[in-house]
Amino acid sequence: MLVSLLAQAVALFLVWLLLHAARHKLLSDNQHYYENLMQNYAYVPRSLQGIATVRAIAAGEILIALGLLLPFSKTLAAIACALLMLVYGALLSAQWLQGKRDMDCGCSGPAVALKISPALLWRNLVLALLALFAASEPYVMAAELWLALALAIVFSLAYSCWEGLLANAQRIEAMRSR
């Protein structure tokens, strides 16, 4: 029961994460940010560098999030989430290897401005593993769902804190190197 509860909490956390990411991509204020970002990513074909691709990615994130909420699609959606995190990680790795270390990753929109770093590569690997963990366990019963939701909120807050600490560490390092 505890493992299923944790897996459901992870699935709910991933729902929050995917919806949070999709929201940033769909905000009209962020359109130019994501268009420019797509143009800077290596290995993204020119035909896929527009806002239509960004919106399609956001739609995919929303579909995966909705799939994680439904018992009959949770496993498939969690596997799709793991694959998405690995694809994002591969794109980040390609930029890192090309020396684009001052490039935004695009993970949380322009306000956070996280730069591509090994920490983000590890983060995506951990998120992929967490998604696979969520796929490995059945959906919890309604009586336990409130506890899974509470844990998911804690995971979301911890993730937001970690992301903020990472962004601040990058800003401090940039100030030191000036």
Side-chain angles (χ1 to χ4, degrees):
M1 177 182 124
L2 181 61
V3 174
S4 292
L5 184 70
L6 285 173
Q8 187 61 39
V10 167
L12 292 172
F13 159 71
L14 293 170
V15 167
W16 169 82
L17 184 67
L18 290 164
L19 293 177
H20 182 69
R23 180 181 160 271
H24 287 295
K25 291 175 184 76
L26 294 174
L27 285 174
S28 60
D29 291 348
N30 294 347
Q31 180 174 341
H32 295 296
Y33 170 78
Y34 280 106
E35 284 177 327
N36 292 335
L37 192 67
M38 290 292 285
Q39 291 169 2
N40 289 327
Y41 262 92
Y43 306 113
V44 174
R46 199 145 194 69
S47 61
L48 297 178
Q49 292 180 352
I51 195 63
T53 300
V54 174
R55 291 196 173 131
I57 292 168
E61 290 169 338
I62 291 169
L63 286 174
I64 293 170
L66 291 174
L68 286 166
L69 291 173
L70 303 171
F72 64 87
S73 59
K74 179 183 167 228
T75 300
L76 184 60
I79 292 168
C81 182
L83 290 173
L84 183 64
M85 293 304 135
L86 292 174
V87 167
Y88 287 166
L91 283 169
L92 292 173
S93 296
Q95 307 326 297
W96 179 260
L97 293 172
Q98 287 193 347
K100 295 182 178 181
R101 290 170 173 89
D102 61 338
M103 182 178 166
D104 280 5
C105 70
C107 307
S108 295
V112 176
L114 276 174
K115 305 296 181 201
I116 294 172
S117 68
L120 293 183
L121 303 177
W122 283 108
R123 178 208 59 192
N124 275 53
L125 180 60
V126 168
L127 289 172
L129 292 172
L130 285 171
L132 291 176
F133 170 65
S136 72
E137 289 294 319
Y139 210 80
V140 296
M141 297 300 166
E144 301 153 343
L145 196 54
W146 69 269
L147 187 54
L149 182 59
L151 282 170
I153 291 169
V154 170
F155 295 160
S156 301
L157 291 171
Y159 180 89
S160 295
C161 289
W162 179 84
E163 192 174 70
L165 288 171
L166 182 60
N168 286 337
Q170 289 178 351
R171 288 183 190 109
I172 291 168
E173 184 61 33
M175 288 189 291
R176 285 183 182 159
S177 63
R178 288 183 189 164

